């Protein structure tokens, strides 16, 4: 006789919206957003020269087209992810995509420097809400195991695809009109919104305290410092605007640190910085991000303003960079569990420094693409790949699984914010170099030969500054003491977290 004395055990099983096959509407929506965000960062570099000529932007204003987006994106990214946790990920994903899409429309319709920079900052706000929420939705949409692993692979691939496609598509669209690099996001964003409503499921919100003051103070503080560095060469370093922006930025950053120490749910938990190795890792990530951001901008400007490349030709000229980076990433991912990561990062930084200095010494208005530009581009890409693979793993080495997510997010923020800070410094130094040689600030199409020569020297000095940033990243890596075993454990833990 069966025993009915004990109640039957009842098993609860989580039902995921996608259980059998990753490819479908949901992954198209989530990876499509990632593709759009990556594309937007890439194509803007190729449009800088036409933008400056068409709208009559100052050199500082031209740089703000990139900087305003990166500051808003990096400064608000941690808050954006927590908004999804608090109010529902689908709801906040849709909000972020809508903001990004409307901001793209405003960018395409911009008629002066202020409207374009403001719309780019709004784009960054939308991306800061949608991008972290999109990755979090992967965990709640796809069942653990092969289905989720496939979804993560597709989602991650969009970064590589977007980087290369952005060079080609962005160059082609910019040749028609720079406005189309932004307007193309409008129909894509509208499609993503419609498909997201149909294919994504809402998640329950968790009412955690949100650190709005920290996010606002941190973002405005960085903006004030970057504004001072960007405008110093044009307004004068003792200008009230420059001095006031610098003082205000530093005060706001000080208030940010004070708020974070007392916040109930801080965006920047100070306990995560107790490890000196991890602090060195974040410093290296910050400066490596600065190299990438500044390098892309000034090489794109050099080949268009000095060598006369079309935007499409400039985009195609960058494609070998992606192949160099990919080759190094493949090799380094195998070596990082056998060789102490600091030596790999330092080797990658040394390769970057070497090729950047070679470019400074050899590139000029008479340079041919092959071999004068091709080899430096692919060589620098290889150095970037070798340096960039170990650093995110060092950021999460030796920590419990519960801290992998926050540390990964902070590493991404450090990389993103390193870009605008570096561009402000490098841009100011490059403009000062150009002016000191008799050049003028402004669009290259209004310059004579002597002024173009000064502009070329300014761009080469920008590459020299990028080499110095890479050198600092390499020096910081020297103080990273994590072992190959710790990195291997971090790699395994990261894969476990992504597959849960």
């Amino acid at each position: 006789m069966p025993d009915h004395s004990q109640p039957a055990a009842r098993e609860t099983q989580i039902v995921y919206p996608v259980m059998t096959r990753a490819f479908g509407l949901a992954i198209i929506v989530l990876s499509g957003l990632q593709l759009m965000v990556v594309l937007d960062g890439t194509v803007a570099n190729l449009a800088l020269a036409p933008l400056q000529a068409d709208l009559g932007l100052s050199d500082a204003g031209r740089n703000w087209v990139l900087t305003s987006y990166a500051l808003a994106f990096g400064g608000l990214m941690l808050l954006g992810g927590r908004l999804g946790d608090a109010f529902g990920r689908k709801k906040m994903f849709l909000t972020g995509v809508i903001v990004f899409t409307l901001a793209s429309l405003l960018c395409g319709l911009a008629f002066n420097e202020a409207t374009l920079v403001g719309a780019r900052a709004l784009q960054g706000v939308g991306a800061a809400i949608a991008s972290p929420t999109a990755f979090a939705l992967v965990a709640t949409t796809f069942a653990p195991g092969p289905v989720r692993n496939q979804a993560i692979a597709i989602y991650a691939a969009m970064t590589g695809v977007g980087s290369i496609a952005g060079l080609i598509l962005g160059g082609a669209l910019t040749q028609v009109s720079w406005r189309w690099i932004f307007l193309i996001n409008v129909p894509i964003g509208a499609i993503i919104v419609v498909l997201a409503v149909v294919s994504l499921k809402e998640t329950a919100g968790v009412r955690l305290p949100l650190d709005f003051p920290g996010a606002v103070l941190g973002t405005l503080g960085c903006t004030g410092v970057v504004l001072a560095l960007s405008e110093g060469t044009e307004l004068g370093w003792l200008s009230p605007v420059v001095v006031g922006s610098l003082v205000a930025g530093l005060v706001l950053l000080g208030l940010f640190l004070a708020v974070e120490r007392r916040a109930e749910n801080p965006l920047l938990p100070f306990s995560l910085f107790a490890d000196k190795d991890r602090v060195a890792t974040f410093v290296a990530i910050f400066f490596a991000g600065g190299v990438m951001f500044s390098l892309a901008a000034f090489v794109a400007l050099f080949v268009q303003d000095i060598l006369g490349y079309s935007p499409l030709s400039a985009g195609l000229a960058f494609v070998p960079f992606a192949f160099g980076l990919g080759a190094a990433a493949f090799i380094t991912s195998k070596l990082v569990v056998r060789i102490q990561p600091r030596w790999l990062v330092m080797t990658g930084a040394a390769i970057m420094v070497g090729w950047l200095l070679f470019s400074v010494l050899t590139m000029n208005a008479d340079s041919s693409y092959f071999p004068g530009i091709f080899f430096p581009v692919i060589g620098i890409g290889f150095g970037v790949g070798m340096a960039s693979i170990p650093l995110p793993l060092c950021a999460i080495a030796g920590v419990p699984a519960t801290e992998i997510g926050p540390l990964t997010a902070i590493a991404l923020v450090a990389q993103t914010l390193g870009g605008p800070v570096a561009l402000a410094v490098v841009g100011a130094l490059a403009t000062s170099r150009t002016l000191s040689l008799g050049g003028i600030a402004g669009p290259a199409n209004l310059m004579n030969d002597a002024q173009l020569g000064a502009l070329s020297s300014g761009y080469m000095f920008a590459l020299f500054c990028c080499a110095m940033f890479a050198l600092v990243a390499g020096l910081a890596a020297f103080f990273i003491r994590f072992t190959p075993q710790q990195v291997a454990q971090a790699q395994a833990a990261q894969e476990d977290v992504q597959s849960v």
Side-chain angles (χ1 to χ4, degrees):
M1 293 289 292
D3 182 7
H4 296 288
S5 61
Q6 298 293 332
R10 303 177 67 181
E11 294 185 0
T12 58
Q13 184 177 6
I14 300 175
V15 178
Y16 292 88
V18 181
M19 302 284 291
T20 57
R21 191 165 64 97
F23 189 76
L25 288 182
I27 195 60
I28 290 174
V29 167
L30 298 174
S31 61
L33 180 277
Q34 176 71 359
L35 178 64
M36 187 164 66
V37 170
V38 174
L39 277 171
D40 199 74
T42 305
V43 299
N45 287 303
L46 299 173
L48 288 179
L51 262 171
Q52 187 173 23
D54 190 17
L55 296 182
L57 303 181
S58 63
D59 286 353
R62 175 195 66 198
N63 293 340
W64 272 103
V65 174
L66 302 178
T67 298
S68 57
Y69 176 84
L71 279 172
F73 188 15
L76 300 176
M77 189 186 303
L78 293 176
L79 179 64
R82 294 188 181 179
L83 287 174
D85 296 336
F87 298 108
R89 290 169 181 168
K90 177 179 178 180
K91 185 186 302 180
M92 297 315 300
F93 175 81
L94 288 170
T95 300
V97 175
I98 291 170
V99 170
F100 187 90
T101 303
L102 292 176
S104 297
L105 177 62
L106 295 176
C107 286
L109 299 177
F111 53 87
N112 61 17
E113 182 175 312
T115 55
L116 180 58
V117 170
R120 283 285 285 166
L122 188 60
Q123 264 192 321
V125 173
I129 298 171
S131 186
T133 308
F135 189 74
L137 277 166
V138 173
T140 57
T141 302
F142 300 92
V147 175
R148 185 180 294 172
N149 293 342
Q150 292 168 11
I152 290 174
I154 295 171
Y155 183 89
M158 289 303 103
T159 300
V161 172
S163 298
I164 297 177
L167 297 173
I168 300 171
L169 180 62
L173 290 174
T174 302
Q175 280 196 211
V176 178
S177 171
W178 62 263
R179 297 182 184 276
W180 277 106
I181 69 170
F182 301 117
L183 294 176
I184 194 66
N185 289 332
V186 177
I188 296 174
I191 292 171
I192 289 175
V193 168
V194 172
L195 294 181
V197 171
V198 174
S199 63
L200 299 180
K201 299 292 185 182
E202 186 56 280
T203 60
V206 179
R207 296 296 178 177
L208 294 173
L210 293 173
D211 187 13
F212 281 106
V216 173
L217 288 171
T219 304
L220 291 180
C222 289
T223 302
V225 172
V226 170
L227 177 63
L229 294 173
S230 299
E231 300 292 341
T233 54
E234 296 190 20
L235 300 180
W237 293 106
L238 297 180
S239 161
V241 173
V242 173
V243 175
S245 297
L246 181 61
V247 171
L250 293 175
V251 169
L252 289 170
L253 288 176
L255 291 174
F256 166 74
L257 294 177
V259 166
E260 293 305 282
R261 285 190 177 276
R262 294 172 174 81
E264 185 177 350
N265 186 27
L267 293 175
L268 194 67
F270 283 90
S271 60
L272 299 178
F273 295 90
D275 189 334
K276 293 180 180 179
D277 292 329
R278 213 168 319 280
V279 172
T281 298
F282 288 133
V283 171
I285 289 173
F286 181 87
F287 280 95
V291 173
M292 282 285 294
F293 198 81
S294 304
L295 176 66
F298 282 103
V299 172
L301 287 167
F302 175 81
V303 297
Q304 291 180 78
D305 287 345
I306 306 302
L307 300 185
Y309 283 28
S310 67
L312 178 58
S313 297
L316 292 172
F318 274 106
V319 170
F321 178 91
F323 288 104
L325 189 152
F330 177 79
I331 295 170
T332 306
S333 63
K334 307 297 182 184
L335 294 177
V336 75
V337 295
R338 297 180 175 86
I339 299 174
Q340 198 169 5
R342 63 173 174 169
W343 300 122
L344 294 173
V345 177
M346 291 172 66
T347 300
I351 292 172
M352 281 191 279
V353 171
W355 278 111
L356 283 165
L357 293 180
F358 175 82
S359 300
V360 171
L361 296 173
T362 60
M363 285 172 58
N364 54 51
D366 298 321
S367 295
S368 60
Y369 180 70
F370 193 91
I373 296 174
F374 174 83
F375 284 117
V377 165
I378 200 169
I380 294 169
F382 190 90
V384 168
M386 179 164 281
S388 62
I389 292 300
L391 288 174
L393 294 173
C394 290
I396 60 173
V399 301
T402 53
E403 292 186 2
I404 287 178
L407 281 170
T408 300
I410 291 171
L412 185 57
V413 169
Q415 182 183 33
T416 304
L417 289 181
V421 174
L423 184 62
V425 174
V426 173
L429 293 173
T431 299
S432 296
R433 173 73 172 176
T434 298
L435 296 177
S436 70
L437 296 175
I440 60 174
N445 62 338
L446 301 179
M447 298 180 185
N448 58 35
D449 289 343
Q451 291 165 341
L452 283 174
L455 181 64
S456 178
S457 295
Y459 288 159
M460 289 302 100
F461 191 68
L463 296 189
F464 174 80
C465 294
C466 288
M468 295 304 99
F469 272 79
L471 180 62
V472 173
L475 292 175
F478 177 77
F479 297 96
I480 301 173
R481 305 287 178 166
F482 293 119
T483 65
Q485 291 74 25
Q486 288 175 304
V487 172
Q489 291 170 359
Q491 199 173 48
Q494 188 179 56
E495 292 170 358
D496 289 342
V497 168
Q498 290 176 344
S499 63
V500 171

